[in-house]
Amino acid sequence: MQRRLIFKGLGASAVALPGLAACGTGGGGDVELSDEPVTIRMTWWGADTRAELTDQAIAAFQKEHPNITVKGEFKDWAGYWDALATTTAANDSPDVIQMDELYLASYGDRGTLLDLADTSDFLDTSGFEAATLETGQIDGAQYAIPIGAGMLASVVNADLFAQYGVELPDDTTWTWDDYAAIANELTEKSGGAINGSGLTGGTDAGSIRYWARLHGNELYGENGDVTLDPAVLASLWEYNLGLAESGGIESAAQSVESQSAGIEGGSLATGKIAMGFGYNTQITPLLAASGADLRLLQLPGNAEAAANFIKPSMYWAVSSQSEHPAEAATLIDFLVNHEAAADILGTERGIPANPAMREHVAADLDEGGRLAVDYIESAAAGPAVVVTPPGGSGFDPMIQRYTQEVMFGERTPQEAAEAFIDELKSEIDAAA
Amino acid sequence: MSATAELRNLGGRGSTAKRQNKAAFWFLLPWFLGLFAITLGPMAASLALSFTDYNLLQPAEFNGLENFTRMLGDERLHQSLGVTFTYVLVSVPVQLGLALGLAILLDRGVRGLAFYRSMFYLPSLLGASVAIAVLWRMVFGADGLFNDGLALFGIEGRGWISEPETALGTLITLNVWTFGSPMVIFLAGLRQIPRMYYEAASVDGASRWRQFASVTLPLLTPIIFFNLVLQIIHAFQSFTQAFIVSGGTGGPADSTLFYTLYLYQRGFGNFDMGYASALAWLLLLIVGAFTAINFWASKYWVFYND
């Protein structure tokens, strides 16, 4: 009997000990590098070029940290998010994750990403501007580090302007009224061979955010509520319906085709339209695909209103499930802060968000990179936009669906705007 | 050795039978493992999840029948049901009709039958593939081959896959085009009809049409039934074509929003796995109901000649 009690007591303390030990390392900034060999996994979406460059960067990192082995995994965009969701659900998430703005809050808010303040000993963020860092924060927690920065731009095909004898616009003064007039003029002077422009918005969150800001409105409020005014959204569609009628923009069916053909097969790249929109970093694939003299201009009305904004093209984040957060943070530090990595990665993931790296790679940029850097440095930008709230990750296909309904005449702009905002709100409420 | 002797022998050698049972068990084991681990297990899990609010990243929370009551007011679900029913009810009969017609033509002893059979069967092998969906997008695009063909006849084309009125039609056409696999089954069925029936019928002076209606068709009904059940289930599960042709959106304007596509969007696009699981079970019920009706109705029109 006595013996049994003692035995029990031993057992209890043996159970308690690991618990105590966990208290020691679990808190705050006590994350430590291991001396033992460590393997971490890193995942990203993207094509082959990105994989080649990233593998080279990983090799360079491993040379500096011989005890860390990095296993890279990559997928295409759609498959990437399916896989990330399922591996996270299975508690098997990769340590280092390439993250997008659309999904940042979905993951961060649900506790699956590490607050990088915990790893600040290994990942130095002091070189970043505060506004840039903010784009990776949710409720003050730094869940992700921006890799590259992008900015919405007007893309014009100077060859087509010259061919049809239309003067290039002055982007320091032009308004949406000017834009419409130029679009109509282009269509007219080409005799209908081309359309002046593609849809001016309603295909992605960026275009809605910009249009809302121009009207003193925002898509999301500070706390992630939907604050978009239906009348503002309806006015964007009315503007496009007007241009569709006058021929200034391509038909609804052509827009659908252009969209599904992707950036390199879309109407801008194939020269079916002379003006369109895109992120500044998309100029490189656009130039390659079109072979035309494409220029990046400020968005109509932006020079005066400074309503445009810097959007991180993507982020690095560390999974909260990671057993090696210190090593994961060290890898990210290498990727965003070291010239050795910047030399390899260049601008493939966007213009580096870290200004020192941006300057470092600026020396040997190709034409597209040059245009993209010049644009982001010259275009007027307002404050950072609120991160897409959880439930908003399906924004783009949702807005495209409503835009199609409006452009095909199935719904009126006002009715569609209200239905859209209702649906978006219910998605966000459901995810909260 | 006669059959009865063989049976007696089997009965007499109990140990052999046991050994054979054991062997069968081991050969079947991989299949059983697969059945339980990757079919029944996930099915049970999805049934449980269908009564929860589950966003994949946080533990599932029981929410009773909420997912099912939510279906009543879900307009996109209703849209996807409309699209899917249209797809099934149009493409399956047309596909089977075409398959049967061609099978009868080929059965008449065309020279090079094997060649034609292979050629017609080919689309069935490719139809659900990504490559064909991509090809479809190119053929039926505004600048596609199909419009080029129409232009030869002076007909102005349109964006067949980019306009809501015609987008579903192109996907139905794609499914009809894969008539090869039911056709091959029809051909096999036609070959099994004893020639003597036709001989007897022609001696009695029955016309070709009469022979078809009174001999071929009744004897072929079990095969028609088999194809019908299979193709309906198959059509309800279509996913790849719509996913590729619309870029995963079900567009334009939800006109190609197949049920499975919507289910996928809810689950992975919106982190709405509880609802997606409930949708999966609704689909199972719908397919089950269609199949049950099929079997029930078969009593009235399927003729088993045995």
Side-chain angles (χ1 to χ4, degrees), chain A residues 78 81-82 85-86 88-89 103 106-107 109-110 112 252-254 256-257 260-261 272 391 393-394 397-398 400-401 404-405 408 410-411 423 427 430-431, chain B residues 53-58 70 75-76 137 140-143 159-165 243 245-247 249 251-254 264 266 268-272:
Chain A
W81 297 106
D82 297 352
T86 42
T88 308
Y103 289 90
S106 292
Y107 281 86
D109 258 8
R110 288 165 178 153
T112 64
Q254 283 169 319
V256 172
E257 298 228 346
S260 58
K272 286 180 193 156
S393 53
M398 198 193 296
Q400 286 164 17
R401 171 157 48 87
Q404 285 163 4
E405 289 182 359
F408 281 110
E410 292 178 4
R411 284 203 209 220
E423 187 176 335
E427 291 292 349
Chain B
D53 181 6
Y54 179 45
N55 64 24
L56 277 170
L57 306 180
Q58 287 163 316
R70 183 175 148 199
E75 279 177 35
R76 291 195 77 208
R137 202 166 74 187
F140 287 100
D143 300 327
W160 298 96
I161 57 160
S162 50
E163 288 180 35
E165 301 94 62
F243 182 83
V245 168
S246 73
T249 64
D254 273 354
Y264 166 81
R266 290 310 319 169
F268 287 102
N270 301 75
F271 296 93
D272 203 356

Side-chain angles (χ1 to χ4, degrees), chain B residues 83-92 171-172 175 235 238 241 258:
Chain B
V83 167
T84 309
F85 279 120
T86 311
Y87 177 77
V88 172
L89 296 180
V90 175
S91 75
V92 172
L171 291 180
I172 289 176
N175 193 39
S238 295
Q241 303 92 314
F258 282 14

Side-chain angles (χ1 to χ4, degrees), chain A residues 226-300:
Chain A
V226 181
T227 50
L228 183 63
D229 178 356
V232 169
L233 179 56
S235 72
L236 171 65
W237 282 325
E238 271 152 16
Y239 179 82
N240 277 281
L241 283 174
L243 275 174
E245 207 180 289
S246 63
I249 63 169
E250 55 187 351
S251 75
Q254 283 169 319
S255 311
V256 172
E257 298 228 346
S258 170
Q259 228 170 30
S260 58
I263 183 95
E264 282 150 327
S267 299
L268 203 51
T270 52
K272 286 180 193 156
I273 57 175
M275 299 192 289
F277 299 87
Y279 281 91
N280 60 335
T281 44
Q282 290 174 327
I283 189 74
T284 304
L286 274 174
L287 281 171
S290 69
D293 177 10
L294 299 182
R295 315 258 176 99
L296 292 173
L297 299 185
Q298 287 210 62
L299 298 174

